[in-house]
Amino acid sequence: ATKAQQSRRYRPIPELLRALREEAGLTQRALGEALRKPQSWIYNSETSNRRVDVAEFCDWCTACKVDPAAAIRRFYKSPG
């Protein structure tokens, strides 16, 4: 069985998470501090080592000062 975070439809999510963080000018460490998570959690989320749930996605967007609905629309338009 394929892990959920390796599914074809999920593949654009880690790239989007990284792009949102970088566009906000945040390091993995700074975003981790904002989310009260270790830097390794951010790294694992951005490299498909862990799956991000909807609540975590919304928190990530908020920390990056991006409207979660706008980020979902961006994901929905991505190939995959």
Side-chain angles (χ1 to χ4, degrees):
T2 301
K3 288 189 175 188
Q5 66 264 34
Q6 296 171 346
S7 71
R8 181 184 63 81
R9 191 66 182 126
Y10 188 80
R11 281 186 212 142
I13 294 286
E15 292 175 21
L16 175 59
L17 294 173
R18 182 176 180 176
L20 293 172
R21 176 183 59 77
E22 290 178 343
E23 290 164 11
L26 297 171
T27 63
Q28 288 182 344
R29 185 173 308 279
L31 180 58
E33 289 172 4
L35 295 175
R36 297 181 181 196
K37 302 283 187 185
Q39 175 272 330
S40 59
W41 187 92
I42 304 299
Y43 172 82
N44 286 325
S45 298
E46 291 182 352
T47 58
S48 297
N49 291 328
R50 74 170 305 281
R51 189 177 181 95
V52 174
D53 70 26
V54 174
E56 293 167 341
F57 182 87
C58 291
D59 290 344
W60 187 296
C61 292
T62 300
C64 292
K65 302 199 180 341
V66 174
D67 175 44
I72 290 290
R73 285 191 294 275
R74 185 169 163 181
F75 160 73
Y76 197 68
K77 292 178 183 177
S78 69

